[in-house]
Amino acid sequence: MSENLVIVESPAKAKTIEKFLGKEYLVKSSFGHIRDLVKKNFGVDLEHDYQPQYAISEGKEAIVAELRKHSKTAKTIWLASDEDREGEAIAWHLQEALKLDPKKTKRIVFHEITKDAILNAIQHPRSVDINLVNAQQARRVLDRLVGYELSPLLWRKIKASLSAGRVQSVAVRLIVDREREILVFSVESFFRVAGIFLAGKTSLKADVPQKFGDEKAALTLLKKCTNATFTVESVEKKPAKRSPTAPFTTSTLQQEASRKLGFSVRQTMAVAQRLYEEGYITYMRTDSVNLSEQAIASAKEAILKMYGEKYLHTRRYTTKTKGAQEAHEAIRPSYMSNPTIDAGSQEKRLYELIWKRTIASQMSEAMLERTIVTIGVSGAAEKFVANGEVMLFDGFLKVYMESQDDESEGDSAGLLPPMQVGQTLQSSSIVATERFTQRPPRYTEATLVKKLEELGIGRPSTYAPTISTIVARGYVIKEDREGQVRSYKQHTLTSGKITEKILTEITGAERAKLFPSDMGMVVTDYLVEHFPKVLDFSFTAKVEEEFDEIADGKIVWNKMIDDFYQLFHVQVEDALQNSQRATAERKLGVDPKTGKEVIVRIGRFGPLAQLGEGEGDQKPQYANLQKGQLIETITLEEALKLFELPRTLGDYEGKPMTVAVGRFGPYVRHDDKYASLKRNVDNPMTIALERGIELIEEKRRMEREKVIKTFAENEELQVLNGRFGPYLSCGERNFKLPKDIVPSELTYEQCVEIMSQQEGSTPRKSRFAKKTAAAKSTVKKTSAAKATAAKPAAKKTATAKATAAKPAAKKAATTKATAAKSAKTEKAKTTKKATAKKKIS
């Protein structure tokens, strides 16, 4: 029996903390939340101050029972979940569900998992902060009410299985609004003029600052430059400096990891979570840029040792984020003296990014000298301007430079040759290039997080799940899209002659951008029309501020919920009774071949085009819209092409091959075999027979090579080839294979061991656990059978005779006992099922 029971929310965190505490401490994990709102009747008592109705989460009964057992024997229980509101709520639920004695229960918090931090937390325990708990409860209850009220409404008015959320719907609206800005954006062309000049034997580039609205004006300047003299009118040198950016918050880490490492927001948080739980970094959900005195001192020591005193400049940053939460520390390494770690590739890259940003924040400014040279043109009022930059001292740039989201064009300033006022320069070439105004950029995950933070919508703990949810629900599509070829003009003046070229470039290419789906646009329009307050950015930010006030104990959470819900519920009832069904139907015109009307609308399985109204015996034809097509923008010609599918590509092996578009995208079909078209590669409208054959043959090859190995001991157990390499499959569960394993050489016993280890890493008791146990039992029985078979034949014969000689009465008694045991087992199963149903209801 341990005198101290420490409960954390993750097994990885428990494992790390165990290293710092002695044998008198038992560290256990709750595997996240152990209770949640029941699904029946909102899970909220609307008649009694919106009191939440909690139940033990599915699959957590065994964990709760184990923790309760340990808590009864421990003298002190330490609730050591994370220090934010979610962590505080976990601690409170543990206290309530385990019925912990307040006298022997202590709450401890720490923002890094180091020995000093853990021991210091134990020296300074507190009780559970009910204000933080109430702030989390208020968010959970409000989100449940909004979701459970709006979702059934969307089922009736738009399409079944839709859902809505308080923050998620606002995030979708941002993406929808941006897409519509892009759709109505009118691209305009203009000209930029730039020249290459010679100062002695060194060349430099200079630009005319103003834009030329038309080609004629740009050509006029080039003609003036034909016989002009170019003179240096001014040389201006200015000292400049660059200062380092603040240490990472959750938002800035997500943005920079996206720009520098190509991580998604969700990926960044998953990797950061592992780094925190392993003790490498401080807590990763924070909106503070503050560093502790100890951290600054540690950074100072590292900088002096690695770079020297001239690179040291300690500073303290203040948080400017709208509605920042509790004063946590910024995300930083736990040990500043470690510039890297021995870990996986993703963990190592993210850790090094965090280390560089933190160390750079305490380093000297970079000292620069900027030079601006103005070049006059005889006979013309326009000037050419050259910008140069010389780094005098690299400072923090020796370690780290922040990336930018800016997609605008521009060249970085370089080094300029020495020049004097009045000096005459020779022109090598002067070029007038047609350029175009740029539409607003689509959001990436990183820029969406930045926008949400600027508006005060959501908090560090909600950014990643918000984006994951809107993508998973199909309201937003994250993908790459190919650009289009665009031609532009270029006029070049060299050796007194002006020549013209028509060049081409790719424009509009998108990488990992967020696009609204038709469903996202329809749902957003409906919600904005009938629930403008819920979809209002300022109102959503105000709700976040009220959560902050609840956390500070300034307002009562039940009243805040009531103020919102009373008006909201009336709006839902009104929309239910009076709003029209939203289909986003749009009439495109008439098919010239059939004379039938063509419309696009939301159908049962998503956006579609419809040909005809189904007059008489004729049924209307339907075709799904393709990737990148929107109800708002599709043309009649594009819609009519959709009805060309399915189309026959030709015959292969004496049977026809067709291409079509189904619920899950475009595919080719041959001899009742289906093969999906490759995303961003194949187009169902243009794919040829040869490519169709390639896809079918690839599908056949994959099916032939899918099964690597099977096992006679268990028919469900297989070693398979998958999209991401070999894996182990048993029933409905899949398991990763260790990298050093040769899949084809796996033994049955090795498979059972691999499954057992990975099954042990999850807290949920699945039916697979029984299969694993059964598999282990089979291994033992097989081994025992082999051992028995190896015994001398004489002994085996003697045993068989002895068994045969047993009285028939004993055999009958055994059969009766077995039947009784089976009946008892069935009765126990029935009782267990009844108990489970009672708990759920």
Side-chain angles (χ1 to χ4, degrees), residues 195-206 415-417 419 426 428:
I196 302 296
F197 299 93
L198 296 175
K201 294 182 180 180
T202 309
S203 65
L204 68 139
K205 182 184 177 184
L415 187 64
L416 294 177
M419 286 175 280
Q426 298 297 319
S428 173

Side-chain angles (χ1 to χ4, degrees), residues 164-284:
R166 185 182 56 84
V167 176
Q168 292 94 319
S169 297
V170 174
V172 175
R173 182 185 178 183
L174 281 170
I175 295 166
V176 169
D177 287 352
R178 176 58 55 87
E179 191 67 22
R180 286 185 170 140
E181 287 178 42
I182 293 169
L183 292 177
V184 300
F185 183 80
S186 178
V187 177
E188 297 178 357
S189 68
F190 60 92
F191 281 78
R192 285 281 195 189
V193 177
I196 302 296
F197 299 93
L198 296 175
K201 294 182 180 180
T202 309
S203 65
L204 68 139
K205 182 184 177 184
D207 303 295
V208 177
Q210 65 263 41
K211 299 176 183 178
F212 294 87
D214 55 49
E215 185 179 7
K216 184 178 179 182
L219 279 170
T220 300
L221 176 59
L222 258 61
K223 289 174 182 176
K224 290 179 182 179
C225 292
T226 304
N227 298 308
T229 301
F230 303 95
T231 308
V232 176
E233 293 186 348
S234 67
V235 178
E236 185 180 0
K237 294 186 178 183
K238 293 181 178 179
K241 64 181 180 180
R242 289 187 193 174
S243 297
T245 44
F248 282 128
T249 62
T250 301
S251 167
T252 54
L253 177 64
Q254 291 168 344
Q255 293 168 48
E256 193 72 343
S258 173
R259 293 184 292 236
K260 273 188 159 60
L261 308 179
F263 286 6
S264 68
V265 168
R266 186 175 183 175
Q267 183 182 7
T268 298
M269 293 311 294
V271 176
Q273 178 96 28
R274 293 196 291 271
L275 288 173
Y276 167 68
E277 291 175 346
E278 291 292 331
Y280 290 125
I281 64 170
T282 54
Y283 191 54
M284 66 287 158

Side-chain angles (χ1 to χ4, degrees), residues 416-468:
L416 294 177
M419 286 175 280
Q420 304 293 327
V421 175
Q423 181 179 346
T424 301
L425 305 178
Q426 298 297 319
S427 70
S428 173
S429 64
I430 297 175
V431 181
T433 306
E434 186 180 17
R435 297 289 77 207
F436 303 88
T437 51
Q438 291 187 330
R439 54 171 173 69
R442 289 185 173 90
Y443 287 108
T444 62
E445 287 192 359
T447 55
L448 180 60
V449 167
K450 185 177 181 181
K451 186 65 176 179
L452 290 170
E453 186 180 40
E454 287 173 357
L455 294 172
I457 297 170
R459 288 296 180 261
S461 60
T462 65
Y463 298 137
T466 294
I467 294 174
S468 297

Side-chain angles (χ1 to χ4, degrees), residues 810-825:
K810 188 173 181 181
K811 184 178 180 182
T814 304
T815 305
K816 187 175 180 181
T818 303
K821 186 177 180 182
S822 177
K824 187 177 181 182
T825 303

Side-chain angles (χ1 to χ4, degrees), residues 781-796:
K781 286 178 181 177
T782 304
S783 301
K786 288 178 181 177
T788 303
K791 290 178 180 180
K795 188 175 181 180
K796 182 178 179 182

Side-chain angles (χ1 to χ4, degrees), residues 421-691:
V421 175
Q423 181 179 346
T424 301
L425 305 178
Q426 298 297 319
S427 70
S428 173
S429 64
I430 297 175
V431 181
T433 306
E434 186 180 17
R435 297 289 77 207
F436 303 88
T437 51
Q438 291 187 330
R439 54 171 173 69
R442 289 185 173 90
Y443 287 108
T444 62
E445 287 192 359
T447 55
L448 180 60
V449 167
K450 185 177 181 181
K451 186 65 176 179
L452 290 170
E453 186 180 40
E454 287 173 357
L455 294 172
I457 297 170
R459 288 296 180 261
S461 60
T462 65
Y463 298 137
T466 294
I467 294 174
S468 297
T469 299
I470 62 178
V471 172
R473 288 177 177 172
Y475 294 147
V476 171
I477 303 162
K478 179 186 175 183
E479 63 184 6
D480 302 342
R481 289 192 183 174
E482 294 180 0
Q484 297 176 328
V485 177
R486 176 173 66 188
S487 61
Y488 65 96
K489 292 182 179 179
Q490 189 177 80
H491 301 280
T492 304
L493 169 62
T494 53
S495 304
K497 292 183 179 180
I498 298 175
T499 57
E500 179 183 337
K501 286 183 181 179
I502 303 295
L503 304 173
T504 60
E505 63 184 358
I506 300 296
T507 181
E510 304 281 19
R511 182 176 178 274
K513 293 294 181 71
L514 301 176
F515 299 82
S517 65
D518 273 310
M519 195 61 68
M521 298 178 91
V522 172
V523 170
T524 297
D525 289 344
Y526 181 83
L527 293 176
V528 168
E529 180 182 355
H530 299 286
F531 302 92
K533 192 173 183 179
V534 175
L535 271 286
D536 180 71
F537 302 134
S538 298
F539 173 76
T540 307
K542 182 177 178 293
V543 170
E544 295 291 348
E545 291 172 2
E546 289 178 332
F547 290 150
D548 296 339
E549 290 179 340
I550 293 168
D552 292 336
K554 295 179 180 177
I555 62 175
V556 179
W557 76 270
N558 316 67
K559 185 179 185 306
M560 175 259 181
I561 298 291
D562 189 61
D563 291 342
F564 170 85
Y565 185 70
Q566 290 302 327
L567 177 60
F568 172 69
H569 181 67
V570 171
Q571 290 176 321
V572 171
E573 291 296 322
D574 181 64
L576 201 58
Q577 298 297 324
N578 302 316
S579 66
Q580 298 297 313
R581 184 173 179 81
T583 63
E585 183 177 304
R586 177 170 164 251
K587 295 180 180 179
L588 300 182
V590 175
D591 176 16
K593 291 182 181 179
T594 63
K596 295 179 180 179
E597 188 172 49
V598 179
I599 64 171
V600 283
R601 62 180 178 84
I602 294 292
R604 184 181 175 189
F605 300 117
L608 56 81
Q610 178 181 322
L611 178 62
E613 294 291 343
E615 301 89 353
D617 295 334
Q618 292 185 338
K619 292 183 178 180
Q621 288 179 262
Y622 302 102
N624 294 324
L625 267 59
Q626 291 186 32
K627 172 190 166 185
Q629 293 180 327
L630 289 174
I631 289 176
E632 286 192 17
T633 58
I634 191 172
T635 64
L636 175 63
E637 292 73 20
E638 291 170 337
L640 289 173
K641 283 185 179 180
L642 297 175
F643 293 102
E644 295 175 7
L645 298 175
R647 65 185 182 92
T648 302
L649 299 180
D651 286 351
Y652 178 54
E653 298 175 340
K655 295 181 180 180
M657 181 181 293
T658 58
V659 61
V661 177
R663 266 185 80 184
F664 305 107
Y667 62 89
V668 288
R669 179 183 180 183
H670 175 261
D671 194 19
D672 288 332
K673 292 285 184 184
Y674 298 85
S676 296
L677 271 60
K678 301 297 182 185
R679 192 175 180 184
N680 296 327
V681 175
D682 300 313
N683 186 328
M685 307 306 301
T686 58
I687 189 172
L689 175 63
E690 292 75 13
R691 176 58 178 160

